[in-house]
Amino acid sequence: MLSNQEIADDLLAQYGDKIAGFEEHHEIMSVFTTVETAKPMIAYLYNHPTFKFQYLTDLAGIHYPDNTGGELSVVYHLHSWTHNHRIMIRIFVPIEAPDVPTIIDLHKSANWMEREAYDFFGLNFVGHPNLIRILNIEEMDYFPMRKEYPLEDATRQDKIDALFGR
């Protein structure tokens, strides 16, 4: 049975100070690393003779507006079918330069996921063969999932809480 500690020890031996830390929630380990290290680490985990993290479950973008210098995040959810084990690789990039290398050459399924993260968060996946909007119109000049706008207009009069049971 594969353990998070075994994976963490192996990654620390391989990447050392390029790993910023580890977190574990619901038995799924997150590895925090740099933009430059993420793709080689994903390739290492893919080709590892024991771990075999060869399935990209998801690739998600997140906006942390208060995290100065790392406002945007990419989270890679990897799965090892051999061991039925999951791991997340997490990186942070500044909103002014949201450049992240594409991983399409490692995981073909990243194509849609990277386009979606670009479409909603403005993450620029360098090397992506067709990085265009996938769900929103091309003419949009903003990224709707960034936390840059208020959720509701507080001055609206047509949303009376009492009418909605609040």
Side-chain angles (χ1 to χ4, degrees), residues 15-142:
Y15 294 99
D17 61 347
K18 296 192 183 332
I19 294 176
F22 298 93
E23 266 183 19
E24 190 173 322
H25 295 286
H26 305 288
E27 299 179 5
I28 300 174
M29 183 174 63
S30 291
V31 181
F32 295 86
T33 189
T34 64
V35 174
E36 300 79 24
T37 307
K39 185 173 180 174
M41 184 180 291
I42 292 167
Y44 175 75
L45 290 167
Y46 186 98
N47 295 313
H48 195 281
T50 305
F51 301 158
K52 299 181 183 176
F53 283 99
Q54 297 177 343
Y55 180 66
L56 178 68
T57 306
D58 196 11
L59 182 156
I62 306 174
H63 183 206
Y64 296 103
D66 298 330
N67 189 19
T68 307
E71 295 87 358
L72 295 176
S73 176
V74 179
V75 183
Y76 302 92
H77 298 253
L78 303 172
H79 183 89
S80 171
W81 287 107
T82 306
H83 301 285
N84 193 24
H85 200 86
R86 297 176 187 274
I87 188 173
M88 292 188 286
I89 309 298
R90 302 182 67 167
I91 59 173
F92 295 89
V93 294
I95 204 162
E96 303 83 30
D99 298 332
V100 177
T102 186
I103 62 164
I104 289 178
D105 52 329
L106 300 171
H107 295 280
K108 298 293 182 213
S109 62
N111 190 337
W112 170 284
M113 297 177 210
E114 289 179 356
R115 285 179 63 189
E116 185 181 44
Y118 163 73
D119 195 2
F120 286 116
F121 294 96
L123 289 155
N124 180 33
F125 291 91
V126 178
H128 191 287
N130 191 23
L131 194 62
I132 58 172
R133 291 191 182 264
I134 195 163
L135 297 169
N136 292 306
I137 59 172
E138 274 296 319
E139 293 76 30
M140 282 182 84
D141 60 352
Y142 62 94

